[in-house]
Coordinates of all heavy atoms in Angstrom, one line a residue:
M76 N 204.2 101.6 -119.8 CA 203.6 102.6 -118.8 C 204.5 103.2 -117.8 O 205.5 102.5 -117.5 CB 202.5 101.6 -118.0 CG 201.1 102.2 -118.1 SD 200.1 101.3 -117.0 CE 199.3 100.1 -118.1
T77 N 204.4 104.3 -117.4 CA 205.2 104.9 -116.4 C 204.9 104.4 -115.1 O 203.8 104.3 -114.6 CB 204.9 106.5 -116.5 OG1 204.9 106.9 -117.8 CG2 205.9 107.1 -115.6
E78 N 206.0 104.1 -114.4 CA 205.9 103.5 -113.0 C 205.5 104.6 -112.0 O 205.0 104.3 -111.0 CB 207.1 102.8 -112.7 CG 207.4 101.6 -113.4 CD 206.3 100.5 -113.2 OE1 205.8 100.3 -112.1 OE2 205.8 99.9 -114.2
D79 N 205.9 105.9 -112.3 CA 205.6 106.9 -111.3 C 204.2 107.5 -111.4 O 203.9 108.4 -112.0 CB 206.7 108.1 -111.6 CG 206.6 109.2 -110.7 OD1 205.9 109.0 -109.5 OD2 207.1 110.3 -110.9
I80 N 203.3 106.7 -110.8 CA 201.7 107.0 -111.0 C 201.5 108.3 -110.3 O 200.4 109.0 -110.7 CB 201.0 105.8 -110.5 CG1 201.1 105.6 -108.9 CG2 201.2 104.6 -111.2 CD1 200.0 104.8 -108.4
E81 N 202.3 108.8 -109.4 CA 201.9 110.0 -108.7 C 201.9 111.2 -109.7 O 201.2 112.2 -109.6 CB 202.9 110.4 -107.6 CG 202.7 111.6 -106.9 CD 203.5 111.9 -105.7 OE1 204.2 110.9 -105.3 OE2 203.5 113.0 -105.2
H82 N 202.7 111.1 -110.8 CA 202.8 112.2 -111.8 C 202.0 111.9 -113.1 O 202.2 112.6 -114.0 CB 204.3 112.5 -112.1 CG 204.9 113.0 -110.9 ND1 205.7 112.2 -110.1 CD2 204.9 114.3 -110.3 CE1 206.1 113.0 -109.0 NE2 205.7 114.2 -109.1
R83 N 201.2 110.8 -113.1 CA 200.5 110.5 -114.3 C 199.1 111.3 -114.2 O 198.9 112.1 -113.3 CB 200.3 109.0 -114.4 CG 201.7 108.3 -114.7 CD 201.7 106.9 -114.7 NE 200.8 106.3 -115.7 CZ 200.4 105.0 -115.7 NH1 200.7 104.2 -114.8 NH2 199.7 104.6 -116.7
F84 N 198.3 111.0 -115.2 CA 197.1 111.7 -115.4 C 195.9 111.0 -114.9 O 195.9 109.7 -115.1 CB 197.0 112.2 -116.8 CG 198.0 113.1 -117.2 CD1 199.2 112.6 -117.9 CD2 198.0 114.5 -117.1 CE1 200.2 113.4 -118.3 CE2 198.9 115.4 -117.5 CZ 200.0 114.9 -118.1
W85 N 195.0 111.7 -114.4 CA 193.7 111.1 -113.8 C 192.5 111.9 -114.3 O 192.6 113.1 -114.5 CB 193.8 111.2 -112.3 CG 195.0 110.5 -111.7 CD1 196.2 111.0 -111.6 CD2 195.1 109.1 -111.3 NE1 197.1 110.2 -111.0 CE2 196.4 108.9 -110.8 CE3 194.2 108.1 -111.1 CZ2 196.8 107.8 -110.3 CZ3 194.6 107.0 -110.6 CH2 195.9 106.8 -110.1
Y86 N 191.4 111.2 -114.4 CA 190.1 111.9 -114.8 C 189.3 112.1 -113.5 O 189.0 111.0 -113.0 CB 189.4 111.1 -116.0 CG 188.2 111.8 -116.4 CD1 188.2 112.9 -117.3 CD2 186.9 111.5 -115.9 CE1 187.0 113.6 -117.7 CE2 185.8 112.1 -116.3 CZ 185.8 113.2 -117.1 OH 184.7 113.8 -117.6
N87 N 188.9 113.2 -113.3 CA 188.0 113.5 -112.1 C 186.6 113.2 -112.5 O 186.1 114.1 -113.3 CB 188.3 114.8 -111.5 CG 187.6 115.0 -110.2 OD1 186.4 114.8 -110.1 ND2 188.3 115.5 -109.2
M88 N 185.9 112.3 -112.1 CA 184.5 111.9 -112.4 C 183.6 113.0 -111.9 O 182.5 113.3 -112.4 CB 184.1 110.6 -111.9 CG 184.9 109.4 -112.5 SD 184.5 109.2 -114.2 CE 182.9 108.4 -113.9
R89 N 184.0 113.7 -110.7 CA 183.0 114.7 -110.1 C 183.0 116.0 -110.9 O 182.0 116.6 -111.1 CB 183.4 114.9 -108.7 CG 182.4 115.7 -107.9 CD 182.8 115.8 -106.4 NE 184.2 116.1 -106.2 CZ 184.6 117.3 -106.1 NH1 183.9 118.4 -106.5 NH2 186.0 117.5 -105.9
T90 N 184.3 116.4 -111.3 CA 184.4 117.7 -111.8 C 184.5 117.6 -113.4 O 184.3 118.6 -114.1 CB 185.6 118.4 -111.4 OG1 186.9 117.7 -111.9 CG2 185.7 118.5 -109.9
G91 N 184.9 116.4 -114.0 CA 185.2 116.3 -115.4 C 186.5 116.9 -115.9 O 186.7 117.0 -117.1
E92 N 187.3 117.1 -114.9 CA 188.7 117.7 -115.3 C 189.7 116.6 -115.3 O 189.7 115.6 -114.5 CB 189.0 118.8 -114.2 CG 188.0 120.0 -114.2 CD 188.1 120.8 -115.5 OE1 189.2 121.0 -116.0 OE2 186.9 121.2 -115.9
V93 N 190.7 116.9 -116.0 CA 192.0 116.0 -116.1 C 192.9 116.7 -115.1 O 193.1 117.9 -115.0 CB 192.6 115.9 -117.4 CG1 194.0 115.2 -117.4 CG2 191.7 115.3 -118.4
E94 N 193.4 115.7 -114.2 CA 194.4 116.2 -113.2 C 195.7 115.4 -113.4 O 195.7 114.3 -113.8 CB 193.9 116.0 -111.8 CG 192.5 116.6 -111.6 CD 191.8 116.1 -110.3 OE1 192.1 115.0 -109.8 OE2 190.8 116.9 -109.9
Q95 N 196.8 116.1 -112.9 CA 198.1 115.4 -113.0 C 198.5 115.2 -111.5 O 198.6 116.2 -110.8 CB 199.2 116.2 -113.7 CG 200.4 115.4 -113.8 CD 201.5 116.0 -114.7 OE1 201.4 117.2 -115.0 NE2 202.5 115.2 -115.1
G96 N 198.7 113.9 -111.1 CA 199.0 113.5 -109.8 C 197.7 113.4 -108.9 O 196.6 113.3 -109.5
F97 N 198.1 113.2 -107.7 CA 197.0 112.8 -106.8 C 196.3 114.1 -106.2 O 196.5 114.4 -105.0 CB 197.5 111.9 -105.6 CG 198.1 110.7 -106.0 CD1 199.2 110.1 -105.5 CD2 197.4 109.9 -107.0 CE1 199.8 109.0 -105.8 CE2 198.0 108.7 -107.4 CZ 199.2 108.3 -106.8
V98 N 195.6 114.8 -107.1 CA 194.9 116.0 -106.5 C 193.6 115.9 -105.9 O 193.5 116.4 -104.8 CB 194.6 116.9 -107.8 CG1 193.9 118.2 -107.5 CG2 196.0 117.2 -108.6
S99 N 192.8 114.9 -106.3 CA 191.5 114.6 -105.8 C 191.5 113.3 -105.0 O 192.3 112.5 -105.2 CB 190.5 114.6 -106.8 OG 190.4 115.8 -107.5
P100 N 190.5 113.1 -104.2 CA 190.4 111.9 -103.5 C 190.1 110.7 -104.5 O 189.7 110.8 -105.6 CB 189.0 112.0 -102.6 CG 188.9 113.5 -102.5 CD 189.4 114.1 -103.8
S101 N 190.7 109.6 -104.1 CA 190.6 108.4 -105.1 C 189.3 108.1 -105.5 O 189.1 107.5 -106.6 CB 191.4 107.2 -104.5 OG 190.8 106.8 -103.3
A102 N 188.3 108.3 -104.7 CA 186.9 108.0 -105.0 C 186.4 108.9 -106.2 O 185.4 108.3 -106.8 CB 185.9 108.2 -103.7
D103 N 187.0 110.0 -106.4 CA 186.6 110.8 -107.4 C 187.2 110.7 -108.8 O 186.9 111.2 -109.8 CB 186.7 112.4 -107.0 CG 185.8 112.7 -105.9 OD1 184.7 112.0 -105.7 OD2 186.0 113.7 -105.1
R104 N 188.4 110.0 -108.8 CA 189.1 109.9 -110.0 C 189.3 108.5 -110.6 O 189.2 107.5 -109.9 CB 190.6 110.6 -109.9 CG 191.4 109.8 -108.8 CD 192.8 110.5 -108.6 NE 193.6 109.5 -107.9 CZ 193.9 109.6 -106.6 NH1 193.4 110.6 -105.9 NH2 194.7 108.7 -106.2
V105 N 189.5 108.4 -111.9 CA 189.8 107.2 -112.6 C 191.1 107.4 -113.3 O 191.5 108.4 -113.7 CB 188.7 106.7 -113.6 CG1 187.4 106.4 -112.9 CG2 188.5 107.7 -114.7
G106 N 191.8 106.3 -113.4 CA 193.1 106.3 -114.1 C 194.1 105.3 -113.4 O 193.6 104.5 -112.7
P107 N 195.3 105.4 -113.5 CA 196.1 106.5 -114.2 C 196.2 106.4 -115.6 O 196.0 105.2 -116.3 CB 197.4 106.5 -113.6 CG 197.6 104.9 -113.3 CD 196.2 104.4 -112.9
F108 N 196.5 107.4 -116.4 CA 196.7 107.4 -117.8 C 198.0 108.0 -118.0 O 198.5 108.8 -117.3 CB 195.6 108.4 -118.5 CG 194.2 107.8 -118.4 CD1 193.4 108.3 -117.3 CD2 193.6 106.9 -119.2 CE1 192.2 107.9 -117.0 CE2 192.4 106.4 -119.0 CZ 191.6 106.9 -117.9
D109 N 198.7 107.6 -119.1 CA 200.0 108.0 -119.5 C 200.1 109.5 -120.0 O 201.1 110.1 -119.8 CB 200.7 107.1 -120.6 CG 201.0 105.7 -119.9 OD1 201.4 105.6 -118.7 OD2 200.9 104.7 -120.7
T110 N 199.0 109.9 -120.7 CA 199.0 111.2 -121.2 C 197.7 112.0 -120.9 O 196.7 111.3 -120.5 CB 199.0 111.1 -122.8 OG1 197.8 110.5 -123.3 CG2 200.3 110.4 -123.3
R111 N 197.8 113.3 -121.0 CA 196.6 114.1 -120.7 C 195.4 113.8 -121.7 O 194.3 113.6 -121.4 CB 197.0 115.6 -120.8 CG 195.8 116.6 -120.6 CD 196.2 118.0 -120.5 NE 197.0 118.3 -119.3 CZ 196.5 118.4 -118.2 NH1 195.2 118.4 -118.0 NH2 197.2 118.7 -117.2
E112 N 195.9 113.5 -122.9 CA 194.9 113.2 -124.0 C 194.1 111.9 -123.6 O 192.9 111.8 -123.8 CB 195.5 113.1 -125.4 CG 194.5 112.8 -126.5 CD 195.2 112.7 -127.8 OE1 196.3 113.3 -128.0 OE2 194.5 112.2 -128.7
E113 N 194.7 110.9 -123.2 CA 194.2 109.6 -122.8 C 193.2 109.9 -121.7 O 192.0 109.3 -121.7 CB 195.2 108.6 -122.3 CG 196.0 108.0 -123.5 CD 197.0 107.1 -123.0 OE1 197.1 106.8 -121.8 OE2 197.7 106.5 -123.8
A114 N 193.5 110.7 -120.7 CA 192.7 111.0 -119.6 C 191.4 111.8 -120.1 O 190.4 111.6 -119.5 CB 193.5 111.8 -118.5
E115 N 191.7 112.6 -121.0 CA 190.5 113.5 -121.5 C 189.4 112.5 -122.2 O 188.3 112.9 -122.3 CB 191.0 114.4 -122.5 CG 191.8 115.6 -122.0 CD 192.5 116.4 -123.0 OE1 192.5 116.1 -124.2 OE2 192.9 117.5 -122.7
H116 N 189.8 111.3 -122.6 CA 188.9 110.4 -123.2 C 188.6 109.3 -122.3 O 188.1 108.2 -122.7 CB 189.5 109.8 -124.5 CG 189.7 110.9 -125.5 ND1 188.7 111.4 -126.3 CD2 190.8 111.6 -126.0 CE1 189.2 112.3 -127.1 NE2 190.4 112.5 -126.8
A117 N 188.7 109.5 -121.0 CA 188.4 108.4 -120.0 C 187.0 107.9 -120.0 O 186.7 106.7 -120.0 CB 188.8 109.0 -118.6
L118 N 186.0 108.8 -120.2 CA 184.6 108.4 -120.2 C 184.3 107.5 -121.4 O 183.6 106.5 -121.4 CB 183.7 109.6 -120.2 CG 183.7 110.4 -118.9 CD1 182.6 111.6 -119.1 CD2 183.2 109.5 -117.8
E119 N 184.8 107.8 -122.5 CA 184.7 107.0 -123.8 C 185.3 105.6 -123.5 O 184.6 104.6 -123.9 CB 185.4 107.6 -125.0 CG 184.7 108.9 -125.4 CD 185.7 109.7 -126.3 OE1 186.6 109.2 -126.9 OE2 185.5 110.9 -126.3
K120 N 186.5 105.5 -122.9 CA 187.1 104.3 -122.5 C 186.3 103.4 -121.6 O 186.1 102.2 -121.8 CB 188.5 104.5 -121.9 CG 189.3 103.3 -121.6 CD 189.9 102.6 -122.8 CE 190.9 101.6 -122.3 NZ 191.4 100.8 -123.3
L121 N 185.7 104.0 -120.6 CA 184.9 103.4 -119.6 C 183.6 102.9 -120.2 O 183.3 101.7 -119.9 CB 184.6 104.3 -118.4 CG 185.6 104.8 -117.5 CD1 185.2 105.8 -116.6 CD2 186.3 103.6 -116.8
R122 N 183.0 103.7 -121.1 CA 181.8 103.2 -121.8 C 182.1 102.0 -122.7 O 181.3 101.0 -122.6 CB 181.2 104.3 -122.6 CG 180.5 105.3 -121.8 CD 179.7 106.3 -122.7 NE 179.3 107.4 -121.9 CZ 179.9 108.6 -122.0 NH1 180.8 108.9 -122.8 NH2 179.5 109.7 -121.1
A123 N 183.2 102.1 -123.4 CA 183.5 101.0 -124.4 C 183.9 99.7 -123.6 O 183.4 98.6 -123.9 CB 184.7 101.4 -125.1
N124 N 184.5 99.8 -122.4 CA 184.8 98.7 -121.6 C 183.5 98.0 -121.1 O 183.3 96.9 -121.0 CB 185.8 99.0 -120.4 CG 187.2 99.2 -120.9 OD1 187.6 98.7 -121.9 ND2 187.9 99.8 -120.0
S125 N 182.6 98.9 -120.6 CA 181.3 98.4 -120.1 C 180.6 97.7 -121.1 O 180.0 96.6 -120.8 CB 180.5 99.6 -119.5 OG 181.1 100.2 -118.4
E126 N 180.5 98.2 -122.3 CA 179.7 97.6 -123.4 C 180.4 96.2 -123.8 O 179.7 95.2 -124.0 CB 179.7 98.5 -124.7 CG 178.8 99.6 -124.4 CD 179.0 100.7 -125.7 OE1 179.7 100.4 -126.6 OE2 178.4 101.8 -125.5
K127 N 181.7 96.2 -123.8 CA 182.4 95.0 -124.0 C 182.1 93.9 -123.0 O 181.9 92.7 -123.3 CB 184.0 95.3 -124.1 CG 184.9 94.0 -124.3 CD 186.3 94.5 -124.2 CE 187.1 93.3 -123.8 NZ 188.5 93.6 -123.5
W128 N 182.2 94.3 -121.8 CA 182.0 93.3 -120.7 C 180.5 92.8 -120.7 O 180.2 91.7 -120.4 CB 182.3 93.9 -119.3 CG 183.8 94.2 -119.2 CD1 184.8 93.6 -119.8 CD2 184.4 95.3 -118.5 NE1 186.0 94.1 -119.5 CE2 185.8 95.2 -118.7 CE3 183.9 96.4 -117.7 CZ2 186.7 96.1 -118.1 CZ3 184.9 97.2 -117.2 CH2 186.2 97.1 -117.4
A129 N 179.5 93.7 -121.0 CA 178.2 93.4 -121.0 C 177.9 92.4 -122.1 O 177.2 91.4 -122.0 CB 177.3 94.7 -121.2
A130 N 178.6 92.5 -123.3 CA 178.5 91.7 -124.4 C 179.0 90.3 -124.1 O 178.4 89.3 -124.4 CB 179.1 92.3 -125.7
E131 N 180.2 90.3 -123.3 CA 180.8 89.0 -122.9 C 179.9 88.3 -122.0 O 179.8 87.1 -122.1 CB 182.2 89.3 -122.4 CG 183.2 89.7 -123.3 CD 184.5 90.2 -122.7 OE1 184.6 90.2 -121.5 OE2 185.5 90.5 -123.4
D132 N 179.3 89.1 -121.1 CA 178.4 88.4 -120.0 C 177.1 87.8 -120.8 O 176.7 86.6 -120.4 CB 178.0 89.4 -119.0 CG 179.0 89.8 -118.0 OD1 180.1 89.1 -117.9 OD2 178.9 90.7 -117.3
A133 N 176.6 88.6 -121.7 CA 175.4 88.0 -122.4 C 175.8 86.8 -123.2 O 175.0 85.9 -123.4 CB 174.9 89.2 -123.4
A134 N 177.0 86.8 -123.8 CA 177.4 85.6 -124.6 C 177.6 84.3 -123.7 O 177.4 83.2 -124.2 CB 178.7 85.9 -125.3
E135 N 177.9 84.6 -122.5 CA 178.1 83.4 -121.5 C 176.7 82.9 -121.1 O 176.7 81.6 -120.7 CB 178.9 83.9 -120.3 CG 180.3 84.2 -120.7 CD 181.1 84.8 -119.4 OE1 180.5 84.7 -118.2 OE2 182.2 85.1 -119.6
D136 N 175.7 83.6 -121.1 CA 174.4 83.2 -120.7 C 173.7 82.3 -121.7 O 173.9 82.0 -122.7 CB 173.5 84.4 -120.4 CG 174.0 85.1 -119.2 OD1 174.7 84.5 -118.3 OD2 173.6 86.3 -119.0

């Protein structure tokens, strides 16, 4: 992972756009991602993580 997070890629949840660097307020963006392509698939990653965590929680009950 790149240590210079200021120049990495972020997905803006409000606009649906990929941004490089701290363009938008932190409340609107998710990341950081190493590549633009990874950031473009941010919603898929978030959904997959949510499903995984829900399944883990269900297994604990």
Side-chain angles (χ1 to χ4, degrees):
M76 238 189 261
T77 306
E78 290 299 318
D79 184 12
I80 64 169
E81 184 177 344
H82 295 100
R83 290 174 66 195
F84 296 92
W85 305 81
Y86 181 82
N87 185 312
M88 297 289 288
R89 188 174 48 80
T90 66
E92 299 293 322
V93 172
E94 303 169 343
Q95 186 172 15
F97 300 139
V98 176
S99 299
S101 61
D103 292 338
R104 66 179 193 260
V105 295
F108 298 93
D109 288 328
T110 67
R111 178 172 293 279
E112 183 177 337
E113 287 176 358
E115 288 170 350
H116 296 282
L118 291 181
E119 295 164 22
K120 177 78 169 173
L121 292 172
R122 284 186 195 108
N124 285 343
S125 292
E126 290 172 6
K127 175 183 155 196
W128 296 328
E131 289 172 356
D132 287 345
E135 291 175 5
D136 292 339

